[in-house]
Amino acid sequence: MAHTSSHSFVNNVMHGTLNKLSPATCDFYLTIIAVHFWAPTFKWGISIANIADFAKPPEKISYPQQVAVACTGIIWSRYSLVITPKNWNLFSVNVAMAGTGLYQLSRKIRQDYLSGEKDAAPQLEA
Amino acid sequence: MSAAFKAFLKSPVGPKTTHFWGPVSNWGIILASVADTKKPPEMISGNMTGVLCVYSALFVRFAWMVRPRNYFLMVTHSCNECVQLYQLSRWARFQGFLGKKKEPEAEE
């Protein structure tokens, strides 16, 4: 196994335990103890938090935050396809961010601007 | 143009690469949260703020460990961590998780 790592903890674990395993298994364990895996993986939490917030009333949605989440998602989705190699993992998480952000924005816009017209109309008639 | 600026332009995490413009887009989240500090705490989403705190902490570490080391991403997420922790404290105080400081003396 030709793994190089500047992290001494990984080196110690590797020499002690991992080089008794097959290269594929060794790769797997090295991946799941690395921040290079967990940081992008945890980005799914942003989309999951947004999905949990679908149940909240639209008054509580923050325009700046959802605009920022949607824009970040769109920009990173584009970049993940432009880099080599294409990073489909990064692409999918950012598409989810953009999608949930845009949906939250649509909920808030619908409440602020579209249902306002429905409420205003009966007043004009009465 | 100074040599340092030229070196920045050519850098592997410089403005010709996505390693620079990606973090630039992340500043949107930070600026949005700074704007949200002026809003009442009822509007803060505990889910989102908590997730962003963990997310930024992970990415500070990621930016440090990745090669080439990405100081700009590190600074971006350090700032986000500060704003999100502040928002989280405002949310927690509003929800009653941090307890009341002292009973108002008007009770007596």
Side-chain angles (χ1 to χ4, degrees), chain A residues 6-7 35-36 38-40 42-43 45-46 49-50 52-53 56 59-66 68-69 71-72 75-76 79 83 97 108, chain B residues 17-18 21-23 25-26 28-29 32-33 35-36 39 42-49 51-52 54-55 58-59 61-62 65-67 84:
Chain A
S6 58
H7 200 298
V35 72
H36 303 76
W38 286 109
F42 192 77
K43 206 165 181 184
I46 296 180
N50 240 354
D53 283 350
K56 290 214 172 120
E59 297 86 41
K60 297 218 171 175
I61 297 174
S62 156
Y63 271 127
Q65 188 181 64
Q66 295 303 322
V69 164
C71 285
T72 290
I75 291 172
W76 276 99
Y79 271 128
I83 56 177
M97 264 178 78
K108 193 161 170 82
Chain B
T17 69
T18 179
W21 292 106
S25 76
N26 279 336
I29 295 186
S33 301
D36 282 350
K39 289 197 193 144
E42 299 89 60
M43 291 198 62
I44 301 176
S45 159
N47 291 330
M48 185 63 94
T49 310
V51 163
L52 285 172
V54 179
Y55 160 82
L58 283 170
F59 268 94
R61 174 67 180 169
F62 175 89
M65 291 303 292
V66 83
R67 296 291 178 270
Q84 298 306 329

Side-chain angles (χ1 to χ4, degrees), chain A residues 6-84:
Chain A
S6 58
H7 200 298
S8 61
F9 169 70
V10 174
N11 277 329
N12 289 333
V13 170
M14 213 172 76
H15 291 302
T17 339
L18 291 177
N19 55 3
K20 297 184 182 103
L21 303 168
S22 73
T25 324
C26 180
D27 271 336
F28 173 71
Y29 284 120
L30 284 176
T31 302
I32 63 169
I33 63 175
V35 72
H36 303 76
F37 170 72
W38 286 109
T41 305
F42 192 77
K43 206 165 181 184
W44 277 104
I46 296 180
S47 302
I48 294 168
N50 240 354
I51 291 171
D53 283 350
F54 284 171
K56 290 214 172 120
E59 297 86 41
K60 297 218 171 175
I61 297 174
S62 156
Y63 271 127
Q65 188 181 64
Q66 295 303 322
V67 166
V69 164
C71 285
T72 290
I74 292 167
I75 291 172
W76 276 99
S77 306
R78 193 238 161 202
Y79 271 128
S80 60
L81 296 180
V82 157
I83 56 177
T84 42

Side-chain angles (χ1 to χ4, degrees), chain A residues 104-124:
Chain A
Q104 289 283 62
L105 278 176
S106 77
R107 285 181 66 217
K108 193 161 170 82
I109 289 172
R110 196 170 295 150
Q111 200 210 44
D112 285 351
Y113 296 109
L114 299 180
S115 68
E117 292 166 2
K118 272 199 285 186
D119 294 334
Q123 283 179 352
L124 289 171

Side-chain angles (χ1 to χ4, degrees), chain B residues 76-97:
Chain B
T76 303
H77 281 287
S78 305
C79 291
N80 195 31
E81 188 68 27
C82 294
V83 178
Q84 298 306 329
L85 285 172
Y86 174 60
Q87 285 285 71
L88 195 67
S89 76
R90 287 181 71 219
W91 172 83
R93 185 161 289 138
F94 177 74
Q95 299 290 331
F97 292 128

Side-chain angles (χ1 to χ4, degrees), chain B residues 13 18-20 23 62-64 66 68-75:
Chain B
V13 288
T18 179
H19 300 296
F20 179 82
F62 175 89
W64 180 256
V66 83
R69 200 162 264 177
N70 196 337
Y71 294 108
F72 180 44
L73 185 71
M74 199 173 93
V75 165

